[in-house]
Amino acid sequence: ASTGISRPGAEGRGDVVDECSGPSGQARSKPVSVTVTLPNGHWQLSAIPQGGWVADPSNTWLLRLGLLLGGLLVVVPILVNGRLLEERQTHIRELRAREEELEQLSMRLALALDTSHVGVWEMDVDTGRLVWDARMNELYGLPSIEGERTYSDWCDALHPEDRSRAEKDFYQALETRSRYRSEFRVVLSDAEVRTVRANGSVFEVKPGHYK
């Protein structure tokens, strides 16, 4: 490196500059300077590299562009992942809100059915799968078993005088895909006779609906 020293001149008039090494013009080529304060004045030390400051390379803009692209490759994925995470959290909150709403609706429906003494049944006309809730089993004087019922559970409970008409109403609703309405008597195991009003409708379930 090339250095220069400035110190007070004779009797404090002016400055004297000593070149310690290097060409004399280097002291003015943007040196790095530091001032040292002494009791009788101050010394200013200046230094530059031996060969002068290195000029910016000709491909500086390429290097800067490369750094910019590298930074984007790091920052962009972080931003995208953050956005995806935020959307996922939003979807989870919406799903939880819908589940809570569905649970509330189910509780209200159960309360309405319980107070109205209404039983709910469902039958798959293709497989013959029949499901009764607890209230249906109670109406027919049957225990609330876990699992499915059969068509004979319903048919065998029908009053002999109402069986033909009740079955006709049921099959007619299936064939015409119309609303099912029927009224008939059922005979319980203890010989008690009850009058039941049945209502239903035929609907089609899309594939995967219960998955």
Side-chain angles (χ1 to χ4, degrees):
S2 175
T3 60
I5 300 176
S6 298
R7 67 177 186 276
E11 299 180 359
R13 295 188 301 274
D15 291 337
V16 178
V17 179
D18 291 345
E19 296 289 344
C20 298
S21 63
S24 60
Q26 288 184 352
R28 296 185 298 272
S29 301
K30 299 181 179 179
V32 176
S33 301
V34 62
T35 301
V36 179
T37 303
L38 298 174
N40 62 341
H42 64 273
W43 290 69
Q44 185 175 14
L45 305 178
S46 301
I48 61 173
Q50 181 66 35
W53 298 109
V54 179
D56 293 338
S58 58
N59 60 343
T60 301
W61 66 274
L62 289 176
L63 296 176
R64 292 176 179 174
L65 180 60
L67 292 175
L68 177 61
L69 293 177
L72 291 177
L73 290 176
V74 174
V75 174
V76 171
I78 295 176
L79 295 178
V80 172
N81 289 335
R83 179 60 178 174
L84 293 177
L85 181 60
E86 181 180 354
E87 291 181 356
R88 180 174 180 271
Q89 295 297 330
T90 300
H91 292 162
I92 292 176
R93 288 193 295 268
E94 292 177 353
L95 180 59
R96 288 177 178 174
R98 292 177 182 176
E99 290 177 348
E100 292 177 357
E101 182 179 359
L102 180 60
E103 184 178 358
Q104 292 179 359
L105 291 176
S106 298
M107 293 176 59
R108 292 173 184 172
L109 177 60
L111 179 61
L113 293 176
D114 185 60
T115 56
S116 62
H117 302 286
V118 173
V120 178
W121 58 273
E122 181 176 325
M123 180 177 182
D124 189 330
V125 297
D126 294 327
T127 63
R129 178 176 178 267
L130 180 63
V131 178
W132 284 3
D133 69 351
R135 179 65 68 181
M136 279 290 294
N137 286 296
E138 181 182 342
L139 291 176
Y140 282 76
L142 298 175
S144 298
I145 62 173
E146 293 292 337
E148 302 176 5
R149 286 293 181 183
T150 63
Y151 180 80
S152 61
D153 290 327
W154 172 74
C155 186
D156 293 344
L158 294 174
H159 193 285
E161 296 178 2
D162 297 346
R163 181 176 301 172
S164 176
R165 178 176 51 81
E167 288 186 299
K168 180 181 178 181
D169 293 342
F170 182 73
Y171 283 110
Q172 184 177 2
L174 291 180
E175 293 175 359
T176 60
R177 300 284 175 170
S178 58
R179 189 170 184 82
Y180 166 60
R181 290 187 177 89
S182 185
E183 183 174 331
F184 46 82
R185 291 169 292 175
V186 296
V187 183
L188 307 187
S189 58
D190 59 357
E192 179 185 352
V193 178
R194 290 179 178 175
T195 300
V196 176
R197 294 183 179 88
N199 290 276
S201 60
V202 180
F203 64 95
E204 182 177 356
V205 178
K206 296 181 180 180
H209 181 76
Y210 288 117
K211 292 182 180 180

